[in-house]
Amino acid sequence: MKEIELNLTKSSLNGHLEVPGDKSISHRSIMFGALADGKTTVRHFLKGEDCLRTIDCFRKLGVKIEETDDEIIVHGNGWEGLKEPADILDAGNSGTTTRLLLGILAGRSFHSVLIGDESIAKRPMDRVVIPLAEMGARINGRSGGRFTPLAIDGTQLKAMRYELPVASAQVKSAILFAGLQAEGETVIIEPQPTRDHTEKMIKQFGGEITRRGNDIIVKGGQSFKGTDVYVPGDISSAAFFLAAGAIATDSEVILENVGLNPTRTGIIDVLTQMGANIEVQAEDAAGEEIGKITIRSSELKGIEIGGELIPRLIDEIPVIALLATQAEGKTVIKDAEELKVKETNRIDTVVDELKKLGAEIEATEDGMIVYGKSRLSGGRVSSHGDHRIGMMLAVASIVAEGTIQLENPEVIAISYPEFFEDMNRLTQK
Ligand code: S3P
């Protein structure tokens, strides 16, 4: 599919929806399942391209992984169960696969090579390679290990104390995986809290991780036990339907079993501050928080977004920018330089594509400014090979006064293979 024609103008959205499993948690469930002793059963796993790459990499590392319609079964044999891959490990478009695998492979006693697609080849890997090298890792790649392909000559690692220069859960997680194999106690300090799925899963698989003030502490030489994992719905996927429900007329969308881990719920805070008609009902759950979110058509107002909120909604900024075009007044998004190193430079791709539809939006050094409320037109836009840009533009077609031609929509399968089916089911003209 090279292009899709979207004409959702003036549709309303109604009904119940269960979005696919959380991408971050799905990746980690395979990784911990592979490193654990015994069987791990994963339910509501996200069968998106990125997570399928993680499965493929671990199969190449010698781990038996079975797929059924509704479960993934990982047969882990502990850290030593990972074997030298005869083939190159291909992470595709997935930054999480690439960076977390680096932390795992750095401490194994074999050689491996990691590549990704053309987007991955442009994304900075030195943010992981530099701290891992401090722990003794031997990783080589283009530009001194900044870019893939990366060759990992696994070795015994030593613990360290590391203050993260950027708020990144991928970097934190890579160091945690390295620390779990290192000699001694590794301490990580984050500039701001980021998603803590890795920490939660260490505990869920029977490992130990502690917090002392701002220090995150993990001891080396830990082993894990296989367990059952239920992956909550991805709030980052739900965000597109929260936005759609808020900007469409006569709408009420009820999202069930959505992950409500507080390190991920910045989008709910933003919608609330913008004045959206949103209700959240938390449910009892062991492990990751989960609940139901109801969104109805809303009158929105512009707000300022920055600081500690940014890591809690970093992946939702494209769709927040769209919301801001439909909000009364000015919205400022700042402290979000990290957008420049996502699947695309999301400051540029969001601003360029929304401008094509007539939005009043400008890029800044660390984010963007949006002036609402503006009437969006139809037009030809592109996902730029970025799943979240593609979904944001598809949602834009609800308020666009004409047809939108979206180039390269198939990339949406990276995180939400059933996106168009779900959208069609909920929309009525
Ligand atoms: C992720 C962390 C975030 C996020 C990405 C998934 C993870 O990236 O943007 O989609 O699973 O740990 P950074 O760690 O680069 O902020």
Side-chain angles (χ1 to χ4, degrees):
M1 198 188 346
K2 282 257 175 312
E3 185 177 296
I4 190 168
E5 201 148 284
L6 295 157
N7 193 347
L8 299 173
T9 313
K10 297 205 169 72
S11 297
S12 55
L13 271 85
N14 282 285
H16 288 248
L17 173 64
E18 186 169 6
V19 293
D22 187 276
K23 183 156 76 72
S24 293
I25 299 174
S26 294
H27 282 299
R28 287 157 172 86
S29 69
I30 300 301
M31 294 178 180
F32 280 99
L35 297 174
D37 284 300
K39 183 169 137 185
T40 289
T41 304
V42 188
R43 284 183 301 130
H44 204 232
F45 178 84
L46 169 63
K47 287 190 180 174
E49 301 287 338
D50 272 15
C51 300
L52 296 176
R53 290 294 179 157
T54 292
I55 290 186
D56 180 63
C57 289
F58 278 91
R59 282 186 175 145
K60 285 183 178 156
L61 286 160
V63 181
K64 185 174 164 206
I65 303 174
E66 293 173 276
E67 275 177 64
T68 68
D69 280 347
D70 49 9
E71 279 178 356
I72 305 287
I73 302 157
V74 188
H75 299 272
N77 279 310
W79 291 93
E80 297 302 325
L82 299 192
K83 302 291 177 214
E84 181 167 277
D87 201 355
I88 290 171
L89 304 173
D90 186 351
N93 191 246
S94 174
T96 307
T97 310
T98 312
R99 297 202 177 104
L100 273 57
L101 258 180
L102 283 171
I104 294 171
L105 297 172
R108 296 295 80 220
S109 57
F110 54 74
H111 179 261
S112 49
V113 179
L114 195 47
I115 60 162
D117 68 6
E118 54 184 18
S119 155
I120 280 292
K122 290 188 210 135
R123 296 180 68 184
M125 297 302 155
D126 51 345
R127 51 177 56 198
V128 175
V129 171
I130 291 169
L132 291 178
E134 235 178 89
M135 300 175 84
R138 298 180 296 206
I139 304 172
N140 286 300
R142 288 186 302 124
S143 300
R146 185 165 161 79
F147 300 116
T148 56
L150 292 161
I152 304 114
D153 182 13
T155 188
Q156 176 62 53
L157 303 173
K158 49 187 191 303
M160 70 161 172
R161 181 181 173 83
Y162 190 69
E163 274 190 46
L164 293 185
V166 284
S168 162
Q170 292 180 356
V171 178
K172 171 177 66 176
S173 301
I175 300 171
L176 284 174
F177 276 121
L180 286 165
Q181 312 173 65
E183 272 165 14
E185 197 177 82
T186 294
V187 181
I188 303 172
I189 301 113
E190 296 188 276
Q192 285 158 353
T194 64
R195 63 191 70 192
D196 61 357
H197 307 301
T198 306
E199 294 93 310
K200 285 207 151 103
M201 229 178 245
I202 288 175
K203 289 186 185 153
Q204 198 184 346
F205 279 79
E208 218 187 283
I209 181 161
T210 50
R211 238 184 197 280
R212 213 180 296 131
N214 285 334
D215 292 1
I216 302 169
I217 306 159
V218 78
K219 282 200 187 78
Q222 295 199 39
S223 55
F224 301 110
K225 268 187 91 71
T227 187
D228 292 343
V229 178
Y230 169 75
V231 183
D234 197 329
I235 191 164
S236 297
S237 298
F240 296 100
F241 286 93
L242 292 175
I247 62 177
T249 50
D250 300 325
S251 298
E252 182 186 80
V253 180
I254 300 163
L255 293 147
E256 318 260 14
N257 297 327
V258 183
L260 294 177
N261 179 319
T263 61
R264 297 286 300 283
T265 48
I267 179 69
I268 296 175
D269 298 5
V270 159
L271 279 162
T272 307
Q273 281 176 44
M274 291 180 101
N277 194 338
I278 183 168
E279 268 169 52
V280 181
Q281 269 174 276
E283 281 152 28
D284 277 343
E288 293 275 349
E289 293 84 346
I290 206 163
K292 179 158 104 179
I293 313 178
T294 306
I295 186 89
R296 300 187 185 91
S297 308
S298 305
E299 295 295 324
L300 302 174
K301 56 178 191 291
I303 60 166
E304 197 165 295
I305 302 166
E308 296 232 330
L309 192 51
I310 295 296
R312 296 180 52 233
L313 49 65
I314 189 72
D315 292 337
E316 286 64 79
I317 292 177
V319 82
I320 289 171
L322 171 67
L323 281 167
T325 68
Q326 301 309 301
E328 217 48 72
K330 178 172 157 184
T331 293
V332 179
I333 299 170
K334 58 179 191 179
D335 306 321
E337 299 91 334
E338 275 297 296
L339 290 175
K340 294 180 182 169
V341 292
K342 294 297 174 190
E343 285 81 334
T344 55
N345 176 335
R346 285 187 179 157
I347 296 183
D348 290 350
T349 47
V350 166
V351 170
D352 291 351
E353 297 312 299
L354 283 175
K355 263 193 182 154
K356 287 183 192 167
L357 300 176
E360 279 187 61
I361 180 167
E362 63 192 53
T364 61
E365 240 337 282
D366 64 348
M368 56 195 85
I369 301 175
V370 189
Y371 301 90
K373 179 177 182 172
S374 51
R375 291 177 155 220
L376 299 186
S377 62
R380 179 178 299 277
V381 288
S382 169
S383 70
H384 292 265
D386 184 332
H387 53 129
R388 299 202 201 279
I389 301 295
M391 286 186 275
M392 178 274 281
L393 293 166
V395 175
S397 80
I398 295 169
V399 286
E401 291 173 357
T403 304
I404 289 186
Q405 282 94 25
L406 174 62
E407 289 170 13
N408 200 0
E410 71 280 359
V411 72
I412 289 173
I414 295 238
S415 62
Y416 200 154
E418 312 87 8
F419 175 77
F420 288 112
E421 273 161 62
D422 285 347
M423 186 59 93
N424 288 338
R425 188 169 62 74
L426 292 182
T427 46
Q428 304 94 32
K429 280 252 188 187

